[in-house]
Amino acid sequence: MNNIDIFSVFGKIVLALGGAGAIIVAVSGFIARLWAKWFMEKQKNKYQKEIEGYKNELAVELEKCRTLNEKILHKEIFIYDEEFKIYKEIMPGFRKVSKSVLDYLVIIKLLVEKGIEDTTEGKEKIQKAYASAYEMTFAYYDLVMDEGIFIEEQTYVMLMNFFAHCEKILRINLNPENWKDMKWDEIIDNQINEENKITCHLRNKIRSC
């Protein structure tokens, strides 16, 4: 039986029932609208709960992201502050080390030129300059090693090379028999150039912090 036959039969039933049929149709329509409204309300509540659930999940994830961003920002600020503080400590310490090593070289040069490096007075001056340069160098080395985590890699490598350079100079004290043949002006100029190069680098790092 097709749809046309169904509607035809339904129409005949309604005609047969007369007014009662019209009432039945009206009541059926009313019930259908009530059911439709109830069903739509039920679906609406269901979707509303799902939407609220998604909102809550999103709020939780956003809070996690916010907390993570705050931690990252706090860490970056902390590293920035520490790096700035370390560079400000490194600069004067570096200058003191370089000066002490330079003084050590100049004293030996002058004593050798005067031919009094082997005298008691000459030896005392050299030993005093050596002890000061040694103490300054390795105290500064310890500072850089302790704070190395906050020092940018290029700066750290430059400072380590400078320490190696200073240590090599301090070994001059072990071979006094070679002092008269050494090119002191060249050694001193090289020390000054090393100091100027690293000083310029550290100043640029402080300005950039």
Side-chain angles (χ1 to χ4, degrees):
M1 182 178 292
N2 56 33
N3 291 337
I4 296 175
D5 293 334
I6 293 172
F7 285 120
S8 177
V9 171
F10 183 73
K12 290 178 180 178
I13 293 172
V14 171
L15 288 173
L17 292 173
I23 294 172
I24 292 173
V25 171
V27 172
S28 298
F30 176 74
I31 293 173
R33 285 193 297 274
L34 285 178
W35 181 86
K37 183 178 180 181
W38 171 81
F39 180 77
M40 293 298 293
E41 193 67 27
K42 181 179 178 182
Q43 292 298 104
K44 179 182 177 181
N45 291 336
K46 175 185 175 183
Y47 294 139
Q48 191 66 34
K49 289 180 180 179
E50 291 180 357
I51 291 172
E52 288 299 321
Y54 294 143
K55 284 183 179 180
N56 291 336
E57 291 178 3
L58 180 60
V60 171
E61 293 302 320
L62 287 174
E63 181 62 22
K64 288 181 181 178
C65 290
R66 186 185 67 79
T67 302
L68 181 61
N69 286 337
E70 287 181 353
K71 288 181 179 179
I72 293 173
L73 181 60
H74 177 74
K75 183 178 179 180
E76 289 178 348
I77 292 174
F78 175 75
I79 292 175
Y80 171 88
D81 290 341
E82 287 297 313
E83 187 177 10
F84 180 73
K85 182 177 72 175
I86 292 303
Y87 284 135
K88 289 193 71 175
E89 289 180 7
I90 283 176
M91 174 64 87
F94 166 76
R95 297 298 296 274
K96 288 179 181 178
V97 170
S98 186
K99 183 180 182 302
S100 67
V101 173
L102 190 60
D103 289 345
Y104 167 68
L105 290 173
V106 171
I107 286 173
I108 296 178
K109 174 181 179 292
L110 294 175
L111 292 175
V112 169
E113 288 176 348
K114 293 178 179 180
I116 58 173
E117 73 278 7
D118 286 333
T119 64
T120 300
E121 181 184 359
K123 289 180 180 179
E124 287 179 354
K125 287 183 177 180
I126 292 172
Q127 187 58 35
K128 184 178 179 181
Y130 171 82
S132 176
Y134 183 92
E135 182 181 356
M136 286 278 190
T137 299
F138 286 94
Y140 188 65
Y141 174 83
D142 290 340
L143 169 65
V144 173
M145 289 295 291
D146 290 343
E147 304 295 347
I149 190 174
F150 299 110
I151 301 175
E152 179 262 339
E153 184 177 0
Q154 181 186 4
T155 304
Y156 186 80
V157 171
M158 289 180 71
L159 292 173
M160 288 297 106
N161 290 337
F162 177 74
F163 289 135
H165 173 76
C166 290
E167 186 180 6
K168 183 178 179 181
I169 288 176
L170 291 174
R171 288 201 208 104
I172 291 173
N173 194 53
L174 301 176
N175 301 293
E177 65 275 7
N178 298 327
W179 287 354
K180 290 182 180 180
D181 298 325
M182 296 182 72
K183 299 177 180 179
W184 291 104
D185 289 335
E186 184 178 324
I187 294 172
I188 290 170
D189 286 343
N190 186 38
Q191 177 67 17
I192 292 172
N193 290 334
E194 284 292 316
E195 176 186 344
N196 290 338
K197 180 176 68 175
I198 298 178
T199 297
C200 182
H201 176 79
L202 291 175
R203 282 175 177 167
N204 289 333
K205 294 302 294 183
I206 291 173
R207 290 192 190 103
S208 66
C209 285

